[in-house]
Each structure stands twice: as C-alpha cells, then as structure tokens.
C-alpha cells in the first residue's frame, strides 16, 4: 500500500489510512487506477474517448468515497472488458504490472503524475454532478483520458508540469459547467437555515449530489418524514427549487469530521450521496445508505435505474420506524452567498470598500478534517479584524460559520457560497470586483487562506492557479505528494505558501 492522496497521509500511508482504508481496498483502488491508465493509453492511440462510466470508477477512489472492495472488483472487470475491446497500441504498458504509484521510480515524475491524477479525480467528481443535471462537455473526458495515459508517456518535467496546470484550466471549465448545471434549481438566495430538530422522524442527506436530494424530496413528499441536510448539502436550502419542499426541515450537524459524534443523535437513516463517508460507528451503522460512487461493505446501496431514477422505499420505510432527531443546540446558519446574490450587493460592498469600512476579504474556502491543527481556522476567523469579510465555500466553513462574527453595515462577515465546487463563485465575485475597481485580481484587497483535505480541493487549487490567483496560503499541512522540487516551482511561479501560526499568517496575508 502506498497512498499519499489526502491531508491525513502518513507520507505515505502504507499499512492503512486514518481515513479507514485498508491495504486490500487500497490495492483494489490502485488496480482500478492502473487499469484505467492502460485503457486510456489504448483509447488515446485509437483516438477514442473514454465512456462516462470511467468517471464513477475515478470518483470512487477519491478519499472517503468508497471502502467496498467488491465495488472495485466490478469496476476492474468493466474496465478490462473495455480495454480488451480496443486495438493494441504501440509501446503500450503491460496490463498486469504492479499498480501502485510508488512503481513510478522518479520522485518528481511521481509527484507530478500524482498531482495530475488527484486533480482529475476532482474533475471526474464534479463532472459527474454536472452530467446528472444534463450539462456535458466532451473535452473534459478527452482531457481525463490524456491525463491518465500520461502515466506511461516519456514526458519531460516541463511537459508534466504543463499537464498539471492544464488540469486547472479544465477545473475552471468543470466548475463553470457545474455552476450552470446547479442553476437547474434556480439561483441561490442568501438564506438563514434552521438547525433545530422537528418532531417527525427524519432522513439525513449528506454529500454533494443535489439531484439525489431532489429525487428523495419528491419521493418523501407525503411520507410523513422530514428531510435534513448535512455537511456540503447546506447550500440546498438557498435554491428556490428546494425551498418549495416544506418537509426540507433544516440542517443537522457540522462537517463530515463530526459524523461519529453527531450521527448517533440523528436517530434516523443517513443517505451518503458522495464524500465524505467515515466508516460508521456501531451506534448508527444499521442506518447508513449509500448511492452513486459511495460504498461501504455491508451497507445498502441505492442503485440508479437505467433512466437515472432511484428507489428510496427502503430508506423511507426505515425512517418511519425511527425517533425524531435530538437537538444539537447549534445556531442557525447563513448560506447562499453565491455570485449572483453577492453581486446584487456589489454597489454597497464597493462603497464599503472605498470608505475603508471593509478593509479586506479573506477567502477561507476548502475542506474540513480531523487534524487537530484545524482549530487554527477557528482561531484565525476569530482573530480577523472586524473590518474584514470571510468568503467561504466547502466544508471548511464549519470551523467558523457558527461564530457570532456579525456584519459590516448589513454585509455578513462570513459569506458562504456553498459547496467546495462553489469556490468558483468566489472567483466570479473577485473578477467582478477587479472589474469594478479597474485593477487586476491580485491587486484587490483579497487574501487566500485555503484548507485542503481531499482531491477535489487539489482541483480547486489548480483552478485558482490557472485563473491567475497568486500567493495562496494552504494548510493545515502541505500535500505529502509534492516533493521539495515541485514545491519550489509552485512557490517561485505562484507564491504558494504554507500556513503557520494565526498571528504570523494575519501579517503575511495583510489582514492586520
Ligand atoms: Fe492515507 Fe489519506 Fe490515502 Fe486514506 S486517503 S490511505 S488517510 S493518504
Ligand atoms: Fe468536504 Fe469531504 Fe473536501 Fe466538498 S465533504 S469539501 S472534505
């Protein structure tokens, strides 16, 4: 086992991961990824695009998505059949060679290929969400094919660096596409979301897939159960199409990292539509359902039918036998501060910036996680001067979105655009502000202090670099898959910097 893909990596994880992935599942994931690269190599030589089904296999290998060895065996047989149907390519690699990324001997080549691979995992995840909402762009699948095939190509370090940066360009494409796709549900509105518990039994929906939430809301219209969002689903409350369901009762809990503490208090079943699933504790393991790319051994999986619909009757039947959720005693949460809603406030925001009442914006988007060092983000948010505004997206926000940080003349000091993919929304806001002030995006009073955990965050980071954002700070630790040489490239060309202490970083990011 050799896994370095997430922020919890033991550099590398070789015996099992803090995420719960064991050696057997890690080996099965490596086999799938290696076979995908062999398939991509043949498909590229034959100038054939990969089938969209490879997206789910890639997505399933993203951290905290799928822990079920059986699922990977099924992906492997499907990939093998596809591979065998293609003509042999000149110079193709052996299909049954050892598969781990540690087989790539040159550490800088391994680092660059790992960064690319992790970026396309994020690309596959976000593109899957866009596809279910009928937004497609074939060039994304072509890039994923070429990126996978590059594992076996004799490329220079510069060419590999170029591919990594190109992944950021596709990141910008897919995030824009998903932003458009999500508007199926209308434009998010700034919304205060209740975190109190109702008296009916509930179903908790977590992950990022809004289509699954929509289908479940339809299926439970008259079922006598309430639906609660969890984690990255908070933003659903801000979309006009979801506001019309009175049984979308509210939001329950903090980020994914709190699952084992909080889910026993929900009492009802939990539907995991995407990452992050933590191996369930016995107190609620019998209430967990998965769907899409998510899997956990022994857990019922709700499959999509050929027309894309899903049968939620088992989860609804179980919910009806459960107690209503317990109160967690949390304040209500504000969300829906996506680009349209924030840009509607632009004249006021510009006036406050010009008058010095808003001195700086700090983008604190990204992931949450279990690392104790992440209390840094709570302390950083608390220590920010009162004339600063936090722009956020992703589950990183749970470190500070319940703090009483107040507002600046009616503009909330934490503007939550939504899920990690909605980081794109923050860039749209930044570009519009740059336009309004007649300056470059790096000349704005905006700093970036990004928290990362998994591979979607890798793609978001590459996207920000592609969009020309400089001097991004990342934490709570640097990726284990980046070698010192590659880090130097990122530091020299983009000013990438690791986070350190709150006091030092407030200075480095010009917040004090
Ligand atoms: Fe380790 Fe992260 Fe890989 Fe899990 S996903 S095995 S914690 S590096
Ligand atoms: Fe979070 Fe898993 Fe990354 Fe979508 S839900 S941001 S970690």
């Amino acid at each position: 086992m050799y896994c370095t893909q997430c922020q919890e990596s033991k550099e590398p994880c070789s015996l099992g991961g803090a995420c719960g992935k064991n050696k057997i599942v890690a080996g099965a994931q490596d086999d799938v990824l290696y076979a995908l690269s062999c398939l991509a190599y043949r498909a590229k030589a034959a100038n054939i695009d990969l089938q969209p089904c490879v997206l789910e296999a890639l997505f399933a290998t993203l951290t905290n998505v799928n822990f079920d060895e059986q699922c990977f065996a099924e992906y492997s047989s499907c990939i093998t059949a596809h591979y065998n149907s293609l003509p042999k390519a000149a110079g193709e690699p052996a299909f049954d060679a050892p598969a781990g990324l540690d087989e790539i001997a040159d550490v800088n080549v391994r680092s660059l290929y790992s960064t690319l691979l992790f970026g396309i995992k994020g690309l596959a995840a976000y593109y899957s969400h866009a596809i279910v909402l009928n937004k497609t762009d074939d060039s994304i699948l072509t890039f994923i094919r070429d990126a996978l095939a590059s594992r076996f190509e004799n490329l220079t370090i510069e060419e590999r660096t170029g591919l990594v940066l190109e992944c950021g360009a596709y990141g910008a494409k897919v995030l824009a596409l998903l932003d458009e796709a999500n508007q199926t549900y209308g434009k998010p509105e700034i919304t205060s979301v209740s975190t109190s518990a109702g008296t009916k039994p509930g179903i908790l929906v977590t992950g990022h897939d809004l289509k699954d939430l929509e289908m479940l809301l339809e299926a439970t219209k008259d079922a006598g159960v309430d639906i609660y969002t969890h984690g990255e689903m908070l933003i659903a409350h801000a979309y006009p199409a979801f506001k019309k369901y009175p049984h979308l009762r509210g939001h329950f809990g903090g980020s994914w990292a709190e699952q084992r503490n909080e889910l026993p208090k929900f009492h009802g079943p939990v539907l995991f539509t995407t990452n992050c699933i933590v191996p369930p504790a016995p107190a609620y393991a019998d209430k967990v359902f998965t769907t899409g790319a998510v899997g956990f051994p022994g857990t019922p999986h709700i499959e999509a039918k050929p027309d894309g619909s899903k049968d939620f009757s088992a989860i609804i039947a179980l919910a009806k036998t459960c107690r209503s959720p317990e109160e967690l005693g949390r304040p209500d949460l504000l969300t829906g501060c996506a680009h349209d809603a924030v840009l509607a406030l632009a004249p006021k925001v510009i006036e406050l910036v010009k008058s010095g009442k808003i001195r700086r914006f700090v983008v604190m988007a990204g992931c949450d996680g279990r690392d104790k060092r992440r209390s840094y983000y709570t302390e950083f948010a608390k220590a920010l001067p009162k004339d600063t505004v936090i722009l956020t997206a992703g589950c990183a926000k749970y470190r500070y979105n319940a703090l009483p940080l107040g507002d600046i003349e009616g503009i909330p000091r934490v503007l939550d655009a939504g899920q990690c993919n909605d980081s794109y929304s923050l860039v749209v806001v930044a570009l519009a502000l740059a336009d309004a002030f007649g300056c470059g995006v790096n000349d704005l009073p905006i700093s970036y202090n990004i928290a990362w955990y998994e591979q979607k965050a890798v793609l978001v980071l590459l996207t920000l670099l592609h969009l020309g954002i400089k001097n991004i700070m990342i934490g709570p630790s640097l990726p284990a898959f980046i070698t010192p040489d590659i880090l130097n490239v990122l530091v020299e060309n983009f000013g990438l910097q690791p986070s350190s202490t709150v006091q030092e970083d407030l200075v480095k990011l010009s917040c004090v």
Side-chain angles (χ1 to χ4, degrees), residues 123-316:
L123 203 51
Y126 291 142
Y127 190 37
S128 304
H129 292 311
I131 289 175
V132 292
L133 295 174
N134 302 316
K135 291 285 174 198
T136 56
D137 177 340
D138 291 344
S139 72
I140 295 171
L141 266 179
T142 310
F143 180 75
I144 288 176
R145 179 196 71 187
D146 295 354
L148 285 166
S150 75
R151 176 169 183 162
F152 306 117
E153 288 169 345
N154 192 14
L155 303 177
T156 63
I157 288 289
E158 289 69 28
E159 287 168 325
R160 289 195 180 276
T161 307
L163 269 176
V164 168
L165 298 178
E166 198 181 345
C167 187
Y170 282 90
K173 235 182 205 195
V174 83
L175 292 177
L177 192 72
L178 183 52
D179 184 73
E180 204 185 318
N182 285 342
Q183 290 183 31
T184 305
Y185 303 114
K187 292 181 196 267
E189 298 159 357
I190 299 180
T191 303
S192 174
V193 182
S194 164
T195 59
S196 66
T199 52
K200 290 182 190 166
I203 299 175
L204 191 60
V205 187
T206 189
H208 302 67
D209 198 307
L210 296 177
K211 180 76 183 171
D212 283 332
L213 176 64
E214 181 195 9
M215 290 191 286
L216 181 65
L217 283 165
E218 276 297 314
T220 48
K221 260 180 172 169
D222 305 308
V225 299
D226 284 332
I227 304 297
Y228 292 79
T229 57
H230 175 265
E232 287 283 67
M233 281 290 180
L234 173 65
I235 185 66
H237 297 273
Y239 284 96
F242 292 118
K243 286 179 190 250
K244 71 175 192 209
Y245 295 100
H247 66 301
L248 180 59
R249 176 73 178 68
H251 187 79
F252 183 90
S255 85
W256 67 272
E258 296 298 326
Q259 278 173 36
R260 287 182 148 238
N261 298 329
E262 293 177 344
L263 296 194
K265 296 177 185 149
F266 185 72
H267 301 303
V270 188
L271 177 65
F272 286 85
T273 67
T274 70
N275 57 315
C276 282
I277 181 169
V278 173
Y284 61 91
D286 58 346
K287 302 212 176 70
V288 169
F289 289 73
T290 60
T291 191
V294 192
F296 196 82
T299 294
H301 187 79
I302 300 174
E303 289 290 351
K305 296 181 193 162
D307 66 356
S309 65
K310 296 185 180 180
D311 177 0
F312 293 106
S313 50
I315 194 169
I316 296 169

Side-chain angles (χ1 to χ4, degrees), residues 1-22 26 29 61-64 67 118 121 370 452-455 480:
M1 174 175 183
Y2 175 92
C3 189
T4 56
Q5 70 177 1
C6 85
Q7 188 266 326
E8 285 185 300
S9 172
K10 293 190 199 89
E11 309 192 13
C13 292
S14 53
L15 298 171
C19 63
K21 185 161 77 179
N22 61 29
Q29 292 189 355
T61 68
L62 195 137
T63 301
N64 291 347
F67 295 85
F118 302 156
K121 288 185 185 193
R370 287 170 284 228
W452 85 287
Y453 175 72
E454 38 72 33
Q455 300 81 57

Side-chain angles (χ1 to χ4, degrees), residues 301-335:
H301 187 79
I302 300 174
E303 289 290 351
K305 296 181 193 162
D307 66 356
S309 65
K310 296 185 180 180
D311 177 0
F312 293 106
S313 50
I315 194 169
I316 296 169
L318 177 60
K320 287 180 176 171
T321 67
C322 295
R323 283 167 55 194
S324 59
E326 277 173 50
E327 288 289 348
L328 292 180
R330 296 273 178 83
D332 290 352
L333 298 170
L334 197 75
T335 190

